[in-house]
Each structure stands twice: as structure tokens, then as C-alpha cells.
Amino acid sequence: MKESPDLIRLRGLAFFGFHGNNPAEAEFGQRFFVDLELRTDVCEAGKSDNLEHAVDYSAVYLKVRHWMEQERFHLLEALATRIAEGILEDFARVSSVVVEVRKPQAPLPGIFDEISVSVERCRQE
């Protein structure tokens, strides 16, 4: 599948999860945010105006919600990788994906806005 210049973005998806290496994170949980960039050719969907020719971003959201709320990861790197690889497995029209997982209340000393990890994965030919 060739790389498309077209993008679908889902930004600021908010979830409550129990991810982290700290025992308190596993016990109490916290809010996480996810941003996605899905590369996909939208030409056919743009012409047909038919969801069957598009990436159903409602379905993408439900998959991400499952991984964020029903699975547990110690590292943001593992969580972001799971989401990226899962999207490529489940949505054939996506040629590549960028996933950023943001953790605004990481248990770190000091003042900061958030910690985030971003991964990019491409479909293998």
C-alpha cells in the first residue's frame, strides 16, 4: 500500500486508565490523552460519500478506548505501540499511523505540563 497524503486526525481523546510502573498508578489510575494521525487515501470515500469506502473513526475510537481502559501497560511506549499496531491490524485502509499518548499527571517531582510518548508505524508491503 503506497503512502497517502491524506490524513484523519483524532485529537484529545480522553480516557481513565491504570497504566504506569508505579504501584499507585495501578491502584488509583489517572486520566490519559491520545492523539492519532491515520494516513489513508480518502479519494474513494470523497467521491462516493459512503462509509464503506472510508476509515470508520468511530470504530477506531472504540478500539482505542478498549486498549486504554481494559488493558494494562507499565510503559507508555508499550501502550502507544499496542494502539499503533492494533490500528494497522484492524483497519486495512490505514497505511500508517502516528499515536501520541499523553500522561499529564505522571508521578515525577517538579512542575511540568505532561509526559508523552509518540510512535509511528507503517503497514508492511
Side-chain angles (χ1 to χ4, degrees), residues 16-73:
F16 194 87
F18 295 85
H19 312 290
N21 207 42
N22 184 309
E25 293 174 303
E27 183 178 352
F28 300 114
Q30 62 188 293
R31 186 177 301 264
F32 293 83
F33 295 94
V34 176
D35 299 321
L36 303 172
E37 284 192 0
L38 311 175
R39 287 244 176 239
T40 182
D41 186 339
V42 302
C43 289
E44 188 177 6
K47 290 176 184 173
S48 71
D49 196 25
N50 185 331
L51 184 58
E52 290 180 14
H53 301 142
V55 174
D56 182 349
Y57 49 83
S58 293
V60 171
Y61 172 84
L62 291 174
K63 290 285 189 172
V64 174
R65 185 172 91 181
H66 170 81
W67 295 315
M68 293 298 299
E69 295 179 351
Q70 303 301 317
E71 295 186 17
R72 164 106 167 82
F73 296 89

Short mmCIF file of all heavy atoms in Angstrom, two decimals, residues 16-73:
data_model
loop_
_atom_site.label_atom_id
_atom_site.label_comp_id
_atom_site.label_asym_id
_atom_site.label_seq_id
_atom_site.Cartn_x
_atom_site.Cartn_y
_atom_site.Cartn_z
N PHE A 16 -9.67 7.17 31.18
CA PHE A 16 -9.16 6.90 32.52
C PHE A 16 -8.59 5.49 32.50
O PHE A 16 -9.29 4.54 32.14
CB PHE A 16 -10.28 7.01 33.56
CG PHE A 16 -9.75 7.07 34.96
CD1 PHE A 16 -9.38 8.28 35.52
CD2 PHE A 16 -9.58 5.91 35.70
CE1 PHE A 16 -8.87 8.34 36.80
CE2 PHE A 16 -9.07 5.96 36.98
CZ PHE A 16 -8.72 7.18 37.53
N GLY A 17 -7.30 5.38 32.83
CA GLY A 17 -6.65 4.08 32.77
C GLY A 17 -5.72 3.86 33.95
O GLY A 17 -5.52 4.74 34.78
N PHE A 18 -5.14 2.67 33.99
CA PHE A 18 -4.30 2.25 35.12
C PHE A 18 -2.91 1.87 34.63
O PHE A 18 -2.35 0.86 35.02
CB PHE A 18 -4.98 1.07 35.84
CG PHE A 18 -6.28 1.47 36.48
CD1 PHE A 18 -7.46 1.47 35.75
CD2 PHE A 18 -6.31 1.89 37.79
CE1 PHE A 18 -8.65 1.87 36.33
CE2 PHE A 18 -7.50 2.29 38.39
CZ PHE A 18 -8.68 2.27 37.65
N HIS A 19 -2.36 2.68 33.76
CA HIS A 19 -1.05 2.41 33.16
C HIS A 19 0.04 3.12 33.94
O HIS A 19 -0.14 4.24 34.41
CB HIS A 19 -1.05 2.89 31.71
CG HIS A 19 -2.25 2.44 30.94
ND1 HIS A 19 -2.45 1.12 30.60
CD2 HIS A 19 -3.34 3.12 30.49
CE1 HIS A 19 -3.60 1.01 29.96
NE2 HIS A 19 -4.16 2.21 29.88
N GLY A 20 1.18 2.47 34.04
CA GLY A 20 2.34 3.05 34.71
C GLY A 20 3.08 2.01 35.49
O GLY A 20 2.57 0.95 35.80
N ASN A 21 4.30 2.33 35.83
CA ASN A 21 5.17 1.41 36.55
C ASN A 21 5.06 1.58 38.06
O ASN A 21 5.48 0.72 38.82
CB ASN A 21 6.62 1.61 36.09
CG ASN A 21 7.43 0.35 36.26
OD1 ASN A 21 6.95 -0.74 35.96
ND2 ASN A 21 8.65 0.50 36.72
N ASN A 22 4.50 2.68 38.49
CA ASN A 22 4.34 2.99 39.91
C ASN A 22 3.13 2.23 40.46
O ASN A 22 2.05 2.27 39.86
CB ASN A 22 4.15 4.51 40.04
CG ASN A 22 4.08 4.98 41.46
OD1 ASN A 22 3.33 4.44 42.26
ND2 ASN A 22 4.83 6.01 41.76
N PRO A 23 3.24 1.54 41.61
CA PRO A 23 2.11 0.80 42.17
C PRO A 23 0.86 1.66 42.39
O PRO A 23 -0.26 1.18 42.20
CB PRO A 23 2.65 0.25 43.49
CG PRO A 23 4.12 0.17 43.29
CD PRO A 23 4.47 1.32 42.40
N ALA A 24 1.04 2.92 42.75
CA ALA A 24 -0.11 3.79 42.96
C ALA A 24 -0.87 4.03 41.65
O ALA A 24 -2.10 4.17 41.66
CB ALA A 24 0.33 5.12 43.56
N GLU A 25 -0.16 4.05 40.53
CA GLU A 25 -0.83 4.24 39.24
C GLU A 25 -1.72 3.05 38.91
O GLU A 25 -2.81 3.22 38.36
CB GLU A 25 0.21 4.43 38.13
CG GLU A 25 1.00 5.72 38.26
CD GLU A 25 2.11 5.82 37.25
OE1 GLU A 25 2.98 4.91 37.22
OE2 GLU A 25 2.11 6.80 36.51
N ALA A 26 -1.28 1.87 39.27
CA ALA A 26 -2.07 0.67 39.04
C ALA A 26 -3.28 0.62 39.97
O ALA A 26 -4.33 0.10 39.60
CB ALA A 26 -1.21 -0.58 39.24
N GLU A 27 -3.14 1.18 41.15
CA GLU A 27 -4.23 1.14 42.13
C GLU A 27 -5.27 2.24 41.89
O GLU A 27 -6.47 1.98 41.92
CB GLU A 27 -3.66 1.28 43.55
CG GLU A 27 -4.73 1.18 44.62
CD GLU A 27 -4.18 1.26 46.03
OE1 GLU A 27 -2.93 1.23 46.19
OE2 GLU A 27 -4.98 1.36 46.96
N PHE A 28 -4.80 3.46 41.67
CA PHE A 28 -5.72 4.61 41.60
C PHE A 28 -6.05 5.06 40.18
O PHE A 28 -7.08 5.67 39.97
CB PHE A 28 -5.14 5.79 42.39
CG PHE A 28 -4.92 5.47 43.83
CD1 PHE A 28 -3.64 5.41 44.35
CD2 PHE A 28 -5.99 5.20 44.67
CE1 PHE A 28 -3.42 5.10 45.68
CE2 PHE A 28 -5.79 4.89 46.00
CZ PHE A 28 -4.50 4.84 46.52
N GLY A 29 -5.17 4.78 39.24
CA GLY A 29 -5.41 5.20 37.87
C GLY A 29 -5.30 6.70 37.68
O GLY A 29 -5.08 7.45 38.63
N GLN A 30 -5.48 7.12 36.44
CA GLN A 30 -5.41 8.54 36.11
C GLN A 30 -5.92 8.76 34.69
O GLN A 30 -6.16 7.81 33.94
CB GLN A 30 -3.99 9.07 36.24
CG GLN A 30 -2.98 8.42 35.31
CD GLN A 30 -1.58 8.85 35.64
OE1 GLN A 30 -1.24 10.00 35.46
NE2 GLN A 30 -0.77 7.92 36.13
N ARG A 31 -6.06 10.02 34.35
CA ARG A 31 -6.52 10.39 33.01
C ARG A 31 -5.34 10.39 32.03
O ARG A 31 -4.25 10.85 32.37
CB ARG A 31 -7.18 11.76 33.04
CG ARG A 31 -7.81 12.16 31.71
CD ARG A 31 -8.52 13.49 31.80
NE ARG A 31 -9.55 13.47 32.82
CZ ARG A 31 -10.84 13.25 32.58
NH1 ARG A 31 -11.24 13.04 31.35
NH2 ARG A 31 -11.71 13.26 33.55
N PHE A 32 -5.60 9.89 30.83
CA PHE A 32 -4.65 9.88 29.73
C PHE A 32 -5.31 10.52 28.52
O PHE A 32 -6.54 10.49 28.39
CB PHE A 32 -4.25 8.45 29.35
CG PHE A 32 -3.46 7.73 30.39
CD1 PHE A 32 -4.09 7.09 31.45
CD2 PHE A 32 -2.08 7.68 30.32
CE1 PHE A 32 -3.37 6.42 32.41
CE2 PHE A 32 -1.34 7.01 31.29
CZ PHE A 32 -1.99 6.38 32.34
N PHE A 33 -4.50 11.06 27.62
CA PHE A 33 -4.99 11.63 26.38
C PHE A 33 -4.27 10.96 25.22
O PHE A 33 -3.08 10.65 25.32
CB PHE A 33 -4.77 13.14 26.34
CG PHE A 33 -5.56 13.86 27.39
CD1 PHE A 33 -4.99 14.15 28.62
CD2 PHE A 33 -6.87 14.22 27.15
CE1 PHE A 33 -5.72 14.80 29.60
CE2 PHE A 33 -7.61 14.88 28.12
CZ PHE A 33 -7.03 15.17 29.36
N VAL A 34 -4.99 10.76 24.12
CA VAL A 34 -4.42 10.11 22.94
C VAL A 34 -4.71 10.98 21.72
O VAL A 34 -5.84 11.46 21.55
CB VAL A 34 -5.03 8.70 22.74
CG1 VAL A 34 -4.50 8.07 21.45
CG2 VAL A 34 -4.73 7.81 23.93
N ASP A 35 -3.69 11.17 20.90
CA ASP A 35 -3.82 11.84 19.62
C ASP A 35 -3.42 10.85 18.53
O ASP A 35 -2.41 10.15 18.68
CB ASP A 35 -2.91 13.07 19.54
CG ASP A 35 -3.24 14.11 20.59
OD1 ASP A 35 -4.43 14.33 20.86
OD2 ASP A 35 -2.30 14.72 21.13
N LEU A 36 -4.19 10.81 17.45
CA LEU A 36 -3.92 9.89 16.35
C LEU A 36 -3.85 10.63 15.03
O LEU A 36 -4.62 11.58 14.80
CB LEU A 36 -5.05 8.85 16.22
CG LEU A 36 -5.39 8.00 17.43
CD1 LEU A 36 -6.65 7.19 17.16
CD2 LEU A 36 -4.23 7.09 17.78
N GLU A 37 -2.95 10.19 14.17
CA GLU A 37 -2.91 10.61 12.77
C GLU A 37 -2.93 9.34 11.94
O GLU A 37 -2.00 8.53 12.02
CB GLU A 37 -1.66 11.41 12.44
CG GLU A 37 -1.69 12.81 12.94
CD GLU A 37 -0.57 13.66 12.35
OE1 GLU A 37 0.25 13.17 11.54
OE2 GLU A 37 -0.52 14.84 12.71
N LEU A 38 -3.98 9.17 11.15
CA LEU A 38 -4.13 7.99 10.30
C LEU A 38 -3.93 8.40 8.85
O LEU A 38 -4.65 9.27 8.34
CB LEU A 38 -5.54 7.39 10.46
CG LEU A 38 -6.04 7.16 11.88
CD1 LEU A 38 -7.48 6.70 11.85
CD2 LEU A 38 -5.17 6.19 12.62
N ARG A 39 -2.95 7.81 8.20
CA ARG A 39 -2.74 8.05 6.76
C ARG A 39 -3.63 7.06 6.01
O ARG A 39 -3.56 5.86 6.23
CB ARG A 39 -1.30 7.81 6.36
CG ARG A 39 -0.40 8.89 6.84
CD ARG A 39 0.21 9.63 5.66
NE ARG A 39 0.99 10.73 6.18
CZ ARG A 39 0.77 11.99 5.87
NH1 ARG A 39 -0.17 12.31 5.03
NH2 ARG A 39 1.51 12.94 6.39
N THR A 40 -4.46 7.62 5.13
CA THR A 40 -5.36 6.80 4.34
C THR A 40 -5.77 7.57 3.10
O THR A 40 -5.87 8.80 3.13
CB THR A 40 -6.61 6.40 5.15
OG1 THR A 40 -7.44 5.55 4.37
CG2 THR A 40 -7.39 7.60 5.63
N ASP A 41 -5.99 6.88 2.03
CA ASP A 41 -6.44 7.52 0.80
C ASP A 41 -7.95 7.75 0.92
O ASP A 41 -8.72 6.79 1.02
CB ASP A 41 -6.12 6.62 -0.39
CG ASP A 41 -6.43 7.27 -1.72
OD1 ASP A 41 -7.24 8.23 -1.76
OD2 ASP A 41 -5.88 6.81 -2.72
N VAL A 42 -8.37 9.00 0.90
CA VAL A 42 -9.80 9.32 1.05
C VAL A 42 -10.48 9.59 -0.29
O VAL A 42 -11.65 9.99 -0.31
CB VAL A 42 -10.02 10.52 2.02
CG1 VAL A 42 -9.42 10.23 3.38
CG2 VAL A 42 -9.49 11.81 1.44
N CYS A 43 -9.80 9.37 -1.40
CA CYS A 43 -10.37 9.67 -2.72
C CYS A 43 -11.69 8.94 -2.96
O CYS A 43 -12.69 9.56 -3.34
CB CYS A 43 -9.38 9.33 -3.83
SG CYS A 43 -7.99 10.47 -3.89
N GLU A 44 -11.71 7.64 -2.74
CA GLU A 44 -12.93 6.86 -2.99
C GLU A 44 -14.06 7.31 -2.08
O GLU A 44 -15.20 7.50 -2.53
CB GLU A 44 -12.64 5.36 -2.81
CG GLU A 44 -13.78 4.48 -3.24
CD GLU A 44 -13.45 2.99 -3.13
OE1 GLU A 44 -12.38 2.61 -2.62
OE2 GLU A 44 -14.30 2.20 -3.57
N ALA A 45 -13.77 7.50 -0.80
CA ALA A 45 -14.80 7.95 0.14
C ALA A 45 -15.28 9.35 -0.20
O ALA A 45 -16.47 9.66 -0.08
CB ALA A 45 -14.25 7.91 1.57
N GLY A 46 -14.35 10.20 -0.64
CA GLY A 46 -14.72 11.55 -1.01
C GLY A 46 -15.65 11.61 -2.19
O GLY A 46 -16.52 12.48 -2.28
N LYS A 47 -15.49 10.68 -3.11
CA LYS A 47 -16.36 10.63 -4.30
C LYS A 47 -17.70 9.95 -4.01
O LYS A 47 -18.74 10.37 -4.48
CB LYS A 47 -15.64 9.92 -5.44
CG LYS A 47 -14.49 10.72 -6.01
CD LYS A 47 -13.76 9.93 -7.07
CE LYS A 47 -12.55 10.73 -7.55
NZ LYS A 47 -11.70 9.96 -8.45
N SER A 48 -17.65 8.88 -3.22
CA SER A 48 -18.86 8.07 -3.01
C SER A 48 -19.72 8.56 -1.85
O SER A 48 -20.91 8.28 -1.82
CB SER A 48 -18.47 6.61 -2.75
OG SER A 48 -17.88 6.49 -1.46
N ASP A 49 -19.10 9.25 -0.89
CA ASP A 49 -19.80 9.67 0.33
C ASP A 49 -20.40 8.46 1.05
O ASP A 49 -21.49 8.51 1.61
CB ASP A 49 -20.90 10.71 0.00
CG ASP A 49 -21.39 11.45 1.23
OD1 ASP A 49 -20.64 11.54 2.22
OD2 ASP A 49 -22.55 11.93 1.21
N ASN A 50 -19.63 7.36 1.04
CA ASN A 50 -20.08 6.10 1.61
C ASN A 50 -19.07 5.62 2.65
O ASN A 50 -17.88 5.47 2.34
CB ASN A 50 -20.21 5.07 0.47
CG ASN A 50 -20.79 3.75 0.92
OD1 ASN A 50 -20.64 3.33 2.06
ND2 ASN A 50 -21.46 3.07 0.00
N LEU A 51 -19.54 5.34 3.84
CA LEU A 51 -18.66 4.91 4.94
C LEU A 51 -17.91 3.63 4.62
O LEU A 51 -16.80 3.42 5.11
CB LEU A 51 -19.47 4.75 6.23
CG LEU A 51 -18.70 4.40 7.49
CD1 LEU A 51 -17.62 5.45 7.79
CD2 LEU A 51 -19.64 4.24 8.67
N GLU A 52 -18.47 2.78 3.77
CA GLU A 52 -17.78 1.54 3.39
C GLU A 52 -16.46 1.81 2.68
O GLU A 52 -15.59 0.94 2.63
CB GLU A 52 -18.67 0.68 2.50
CG GLU A 52 -19.84 0.08 3.24
CD GLU A 52 -20.71 -0.79 2.34
OE1 GLU A 52 -20.27 -1.13 1.22
OE2 GLU A 52 -21.83 -1.10 2.75
N HIS A 53 -16.28 3.02 2.15
CA HIS A 53 -15.05 3.37 1.43
C HIS A 53 -14.11 4.23 2.29
O HIS A 53 -13.16 4.81 1.76
CB HIS A 53 -15.39 4.13 0.14
CG HIS A 53 -16.26 3.34 -0.78
ND1 HIS A 53 -17.26 3.91 -1.52
CD2 HIS A 53 -16.28 2.02 -1.06
CE1 HIS A 53 -17.87 2.97 -2.23
NE2 HIS A 53 -17.29 1.81 -1.97
N ALA A 54 -14.39 4.29 3.56
CA ALA A 54 -13.63 5.17 4.47
C ALA A 54 -13.14 4.40 5.68
O ALA A 54 -13.53 3.27 5.92
CB ALA A 54 -14.53 6.33 4.92
N VAL A 55 -12.28 5.05 6.45
CA VAL A 55 -11.91 4.55 7.77
C VAL A 55 -12.98 5.04 8.74
O VAL A 55 -13.21 6.25 8.85
CB VAL A 55 -10.51 5.06 8.20
CG1 VAL A 55 -10.21 4.64 9.63
CG2 VAL A 55 -9.45 4.57 7.25
N ASP A 56 -13.63 4.13 9.41
CA ASP A 56 -14.69 4.48 10.36
C ASP A 56 -14.02 4.93 11.66
O ASP A 56 -13.61 4.12 12.48
CB ASP A 56 -15.59 3.28 10.59
CG ASP A 56 -16.75 3.56 11.53
OD1 ASP A 56 -16.76 4.63 12.19
OD2 ASP A 56 -17.63 2.70 11.62
N TYR A 57 -13.90 6.24 11.85
CA TYR A 57 -13.18 6.71 13.03
C TYR A 57 -13.96 6.50 14.31
O TYR A 57 -13.37 6.51 15.39
CB TYR A 57 -12.67 8.14 12.87
CG TYR A 57 -13.64 9.18 12.37
CD1 TYR A 57 -14.53 9.80 13.23
CD2 TYR A 57 -13.63 9.55 11.04
CE1 TYR A 57 -15.40 10.76 12.76
CE2 TYR A 57 -14.49 10.52 10.57
CZ TYR A 57 -15.39 11.12 11.44
OH TYR A 57 -16.25 12.08 10.98
N SER A 58 -15.26 6.23 14.23
CA SER A 58 -15.99 5.81 15.43
C SER A 58 -15.49 4.44 15.90
O SER A 58 -15.31 4.20 17.09
CB SER A 58 -17.50 5.74 15.16
OG SER A 58 -18.01 7.01 14.91
N ALA A 59 -15.25 3.55 14.94
CA ALA A 59 -14.72 2.23 15.27
C ALA A 59 -13.29 2.33 15.79
O ALA A 59 -12.90 1.60 16.71
CB ALA A 59 -14.79 1.31 14.05
N VAL A 60 -12.51 3.23 15.21
CA VAL A 60 -11.14 3.46 15.71
C VAL A 60 -11.20 3.89 17.16
O VAL A 60 -10.49 3.36 18.01
CB VAL A 60 -10.40 4.51 14.84
CG1 VAL A 60 -9.07 4.89 15.49
CG2 VAL A 60 -10.18 4.00 13.43
N TYR A 61 -12.07 4.86 17.46
CA TYR A 61 -12.21 5.35 18.83
C TYR A 61 -12.55 4.21 19.80
O TYR A 61 -11.94 4.11 20.87
CB TYR A 61 -13.29 6.43 18.91
CG TYR A 61 -13.60 6.82 20.33
CD1 TYR A 61 -12.83 7.77 20.99
CD2 TYR A 61 -14.62 6.20 21.04
CE1 TYR A 61 -13.07 8.10 22.30
CE2 TYR A 61 -14.88 6.54 22.35
CZ TYR A 61 -14.11 7.49 22.98
OH TYR A 61 -14.34 7.80 24.29
N LEU A 62 -13.48 3.36 19.43
CA LEU A 62 -13.88 2.26 20.32
C LEU A 62 -12.73 1.29 20.57
O LEU A 62 -12.56 0.80 21.69
CB LEU A 62 -15.09 1.52 19.74
CG LEU A 62 -16.39 2.32 19.74
CD1 LEU A 62 -17.49 1.55 19.01
CD2 LEU A 62 -16.82 2.69 21.16
N LYS A 63 -11.91 1.03 19.55
CA LYS A 63 -10.74 0.16 19.73
C LYS A 63 -9.74 0.81 20.70
O LYS A 63 -9.23 0.16 21.61
CB LYS A 63 -10.05 -0.12 18.40
CG LYS A 63 -10.82 -0.99 17.47
CD LYS A 63 -10.75 -2.43 17.92
CE LYS A 63 -11.34 -3.34 16.86
NZ LYS A 63 -11.12 -4.75 17.17
N VAL A 64 -9.46 2.09 20.48
CA VAL A 64 -8.51 2.80 21.35
C VAL A 64 -9.04 2.81 22.78
O VAL A 64 -8.30 2.59 23.74
CB VAL A 64 -8.22 4.22 20.83
CG1 VAL A 64 -7.37 5.00 21.81
CG2 VAL A 64 -7.54 4.15 19.46
N ARG A 65 -10.34 3.08 22.94
CA ARG A 65 -10.93 3.07 24.28
C ARG A 65 -10.73 1.73 24.97
O ARG A 65 -10.39 1.67 26.15
CB ARG A 65 -12.42 3.42 24.20
CG ARG A 65 -13.03 3.55 25.60
CD ARG A 65 -14.43 4.08 25.53
NE ARG A 65 -15.34 2.95 25.44
CZ ARG A 65 -16.65 3.06 25.34
NH1 ARG A 65 -17.22 4.24 25.25
NH2 ARG A 65 -17.39 1.99 25.30
N HIS A 66 -10.90 0.63 24.22
CA HIS A 66 -10.68 -0.69 24.80
C HIS A 66 -9.24 -0.83 25.31
O HIS A 66 -9.01 -1.25 26.45
CB HIS A 66 -10.98 -1.79 23.79
CG HIS A 66 -10.55 -3.14 24.25
ND1 HIS A 66 -11.29 -3.89 25.13
CD2 HIS A 66 -9.41 -3.84 24.03
CE1 HIS A 66 -10.64 -5.01 25.40
NE2 HIS A 66 -9.50 -5.00 24.75
N TRP A 67 -8.27 -0.48 24.45
CA TRP A 67 -6.86 -0.64 24.85
C TRP A 67 -6.52 0.26 26.03
O TRP A 67 -5.74 -0.12 26.90
CB TRP A 67 -5.94 -0.36 23.67
CG TRP A 67 -6.10 -1.36 22.56
CD1 TRP A 67 -6.20 -2.72 22.69
CD2 TRP A 67 -6.21 -1.09 21.17
NE1 TRP A 67 -6.36 -3.30 21.44
CE2 TRP A 67 -6.37 -2.33 20.50
CE3 TRP A 67 -6.18 0.08 20.41
CZ2 TRP A 67 -6.48 -2.43 19.11
CZ3 TRP A 67 -6.30 -0.02 19.03
CH2 TRP A 67 -6.45 -1.26 18.40
N MET A 68 -7.09 1.44 26.08
CA MET A 68 -6.80 2.39 27.16
C MET A 68 -7.47 2.00 28.47
O MET A 68 -6.90 2.18 29.54
CB MET A 68 -7.25 3.80 26.76
CG MET A 68 -6.46 4.42 25.63
SD MET A 68 -4.70 4.63 25.99
CE MET A 68 -4.75 5.74 27.38
N GLU A 69 -8.69 1.49 28.40
CA GLU A 69 -9.48 1.25 29.61
C GLU A 69 -9.53 -0.20 30.06
O GLU A 69 -9.77 -0.45 31.24
CB GLU A 69 -10.91 1.78 29.41
CG GLU A 69 -10.95 3.28 29.22
CD GLU A 69 -12.35 3.83 29.00
OE1 GLU A 69 -13.31 3.02 28.82
OE2 GLU A 69 -12.50 5.07 29.00
N GLN A 70 -9.28 -1.15 29.16
CA GLN A 70 -9.41 -2.56 29.52
C GLN A 70 -8.09 -3.31 29.61
O GLN A 70 -8.06 -4.40 30.18
CB GLN A 70 -10.33 -3.27 28.51
CG GLN A 70 -11.70 -2.66 28.39
CD GLN A 70 -12.46 -2.64 29.70
OE1 GLN A 70 -12.46 -3.60 30.44
NE2 GLN A 70 -13.10 -1.52 29.99
N GLU A 71 -7.04 -2.74 29.05
CA GLU A 71 -5.73 -3.39 29.13
C GLU A 71 -4.84 -2.58 30.07
O GLU A 71 -5.15 -1.45 30.41
CB GLU A 71 -5.11 -3.52 27.74
CG GLU A 71 -5.92 -4.45 26.84
CD GLU A 71 -5.28 -4.73 25.51
OE1 GLU A 71 -4.07 -4.50 25.34
OE2 GLU A 71 -6.01 -5.20 24.60
N ARG A 72 -3.73 -3.18 30.50
CA ARG A 72 -2.82 -2.52 31.46
C ARG A 72 -1.40 -2.62 30.94
O ARG A 72 -0.95 -3.70 30.55
CB ARG A 72 -2.94 -3.22 32.81
CG ARG A 72 -1.82 -2.92 33.77
CD ARG A 72 -2.25 -1.99 34.89
NE ARG A 72 -1.28 -1.94 35.96
CZ ARG A 72 -0.18 -1.20 35.95
NH1 ARG A 72 0.13 -0.48 34.91
NH2 ARG A 72 0.61 -1.18 36.99
N PHE A 73 -0.71 -1.47 30.93
CA PHE A 73 0.67 -1.42 30.48
C PHE A 73 1.51 -0.68 31.52
O PHE A 73 1.06 0.28 32.12
CB PHE A 73 0.77 -0.68 29.13
CG PHE A 73 0.06 -1.41 28.02
CD1 PHE A 73 -1.28 -1.17 27.78
CD2 PHE A 73 0.74 -2.34 27.25
CE1 PHE A 73 -1.95 -1.85 26.77
CE2 PHE A 73 0.08 -3.02 26.23
CZ PHE A 73 -1.26 -2.77 26.00
#
